[in-house]
């Protein structure tokens, strides 16, 4: 048994307070660098946390742990020079414990010369002050146990508009390049009524296959694992759709607060099939 733990400094939020910040850590000394499972423990108030690792930025030096240099938690700002490791992405507003456990023999590789950071989004939805505590465990295995190394992938609608008191579907269909999907997780907020995803073969080569469905917003885990994996063809599309019901008196767009996001995240192998896709605005091609 091997692994490591990262602990976020506790924060106390006033009633209704919302913050989005960055927390960073150096890697501890560890023996094995293949992560086969990850877990978050969270009190109520963690909206989401995307834990990544990137090379130390030469312009800034190491992060002033637990504080961050500008852009430390941005997974895209070092592309194409460096693709970030994604250690864990938590479901929206999850409370208690959430975990991702890959099927046997499957893991992702981390580089301990990098440093860890997270986009840390907290929201106190209660009427009382709230102390928020979060910790992460990562479970590692030796090289001899590895059968398939996975890499993260992400698909997203970058912007959209849902008018007041309207119900609207927001989604995209993104070309993938093959591979085997071992986990999926959507990311939406409190206005979500439904999320679904399907693998769509090229025209004339079969019917779309729904691989993920979830109804309504809740605080349960939205992570799904697949054993056997979902097999993607080299010319397939991954279609995903978010249905939002805007109960407010203002437009809902992409963002935090009383806004929304429509994201599909997961892991697949082999690593060279890794893909990032996005639609710039609802209805536009991925």
């Amino acid at each position: 048994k091997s692994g490591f733990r990262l602990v976020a400094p506790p924060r106390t939020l006033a009633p209704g307070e919302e913050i989005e910040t960055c927390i960073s850590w150096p890697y501890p000394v560890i023996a094995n660098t293949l992560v086969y499972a990850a877990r978050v423990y969270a009190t109520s108030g963690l909206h989401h946390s995307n834990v990544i690792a990137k090379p130390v930025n030469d312009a800034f030096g190491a992060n002033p742990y637990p504080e961050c240099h500008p852009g430390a938690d941005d997974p895209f700002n070092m592309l194409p020079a460096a693709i970030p490791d994604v250690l864990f992405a938590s479901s929206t507003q999850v409370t208690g414990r959430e975990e991702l456990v890959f099927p046997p023999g499957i893991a992702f590789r981390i580089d301990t010369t990098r440093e860890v950071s997270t986009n840390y989004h907290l929201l106190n939805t209660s009427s009382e002050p709230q102390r928020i505590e979060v910790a992460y465990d990562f479970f590692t295995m030796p090289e001899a146990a590895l059968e398939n190394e996975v890499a993260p992938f992400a698909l997203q609608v970058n912007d959209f508009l849902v008018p007041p008191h309207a119900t609207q579907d927001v989604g995209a269909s993104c070309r993938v390049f093959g591979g085997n999907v071992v986990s999926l997780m959507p990311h939406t907020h409190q206005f979500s009524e439904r999320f679904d995803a399907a693998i769509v073969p090229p025209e004339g080569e079969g019917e779309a296959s729904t691989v993920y469905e979830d109804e309504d917003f809740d605080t349960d885990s939205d992570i799904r694992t697949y054993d056997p994996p979902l097999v993607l063809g080299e010319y397939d599309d991954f279609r995903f759709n978010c249905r939002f019901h805007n109960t407010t008196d203002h437009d809902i767009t992409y963002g935090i607060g009383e806004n929304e996001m429509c994201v599909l995240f997961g892991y697949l192998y082999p690593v060279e099939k890794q893909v990032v896709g996005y639609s710039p605005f609802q209805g536009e091609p991925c």
Side-chain angles (χ1 to χ4, degrees):
K1 296 180 180 179
S2 60
F4 58 99
R5 170 171 288 182
L6 302 175
V7 180
R11 298 286 297 261
T12 298
L13 269 62
E17 184 179 1
E18 181 174 26
I19 64 169
E20 187 174 23
T21 187
C22 175
I23 300 175
S24 69
W25 300 265
Y27 269 113
V29 176
I30 56 176
N32 299 315
T33 57
L34 291 168
V35 176
Y36 71 87
R39 183 183 297 154
V40 64
Y41 305 92
T43 59
S44 178
L46 174 66
H47 187 276
H48 75 264
S49 171
N50 300 321
V51 185
I52 65 172
K54 298 191 298 185
V56 173
N57 189 317
D58 291 337
F60 297 125
N63 281 311
Y65 319 112
E67 303 299 321
C68 299
H69 290 307
D73 58 346
D74 183 346
F76 305 114
N77 66 354
M78 297 187 80
L79 295 174
I83 298 173
D85 302 324
V86 180
L87 279 69
F88 193 77
S90 60
S91 298
T92 308
Q93 214 73 23
V94 71
T95 301
R97 163 175 155 171
E98 180 177 41
E99 61 188 8
L100 168 65
V101 182
F102 294 126
I106 293 176
F108 60 79
R109 191 180 303 277
I110 57 175
D111 178 352
T112 56
T113 68
R114 296 182 168 197
E115 53 188 358
V116 183
S117 61
T118 180
N119 174 256
Y120 198 55
H121 183 186
L122 306 180
L123 174 63
N124 180 1
T125 59
S126 74
S127 58
E128 300 291 334
Q130 190 172 56
R131 177 182 167 93
I132 301 172
E133 302 181 33
V134 179
Y136 312 86
D137 281 344
F138 301 94
F139 302 85
T140 60
M141 68 186 190
E143 197 76 31
L146 181 67
E147 297 175 14
N148 291 293
E149 181 181 341
V150 292
F153 73 95
L155 309 175
Q156 174 174 299
V157 180
N158 277 15
D159 202 8
F160 45 84
L161 190 150
V162 183
H165 306 289
T167 298
Q168 185 166 299
D169 287 346
V170 172
S173 188
C174 298
R175 176 63 49 86
V176 293
F177 307 101
N180 302 275
V181 175
V182 297
S183 78
L184 291 175
M185 184 193 75
H187 179 73
T188 58
H189 298 168
Q190 71 269 26
F191 301 105
S192 174
E193 285 194 337
R194 176 178 171 81
F195 181 95
D196 60 83
I199 299 172
V200 184
E203 187 174 353
E205 296 189 16
E207 299 294 325
S209 174
T210 299
V211 295
Y212 191 105
E213 293 180 287
D214 189 45
E215 301 285 344
D216 298 325
F217 172 79
D218 56 43
T219 58
D220 296 333
S221 176
D222 295 319
I223 296 173
R224 305 284 186 273
T225 55
Y226 299 88
D227 187 16
L230 305 173
V231 179
L232 303 175
E234 293 188 1
Y235 302 100
D236 285 351
D237 285 346
F238 221 133
R239 185 177 67 205
F240 62 104
N241 187 77
C242 305
R243 178 169 297 162
F244 298 129
H245 177 47
N246 183 355
T247 58
T248 75
D249 295 326
H250 61 78
D251 291 339
I252 286 178
T253 60
Y254 178 91
I256 64 170
E258 285 196 332
N259 286 299
E260 270 292 349
M261 297 183 184
C262 184
V263 183
L264 177 63
F265 175 77
Y267 289 89
L268 54 69
Y269 69 87
V271 293
E272 58 265 26
K273 300 299 184 180
Q274 185 179 47
V275 61
V276 174
Y278 68 92
S279 169
F281 192 82
Q282 64 188 52
E284 295 184 5
C286 185

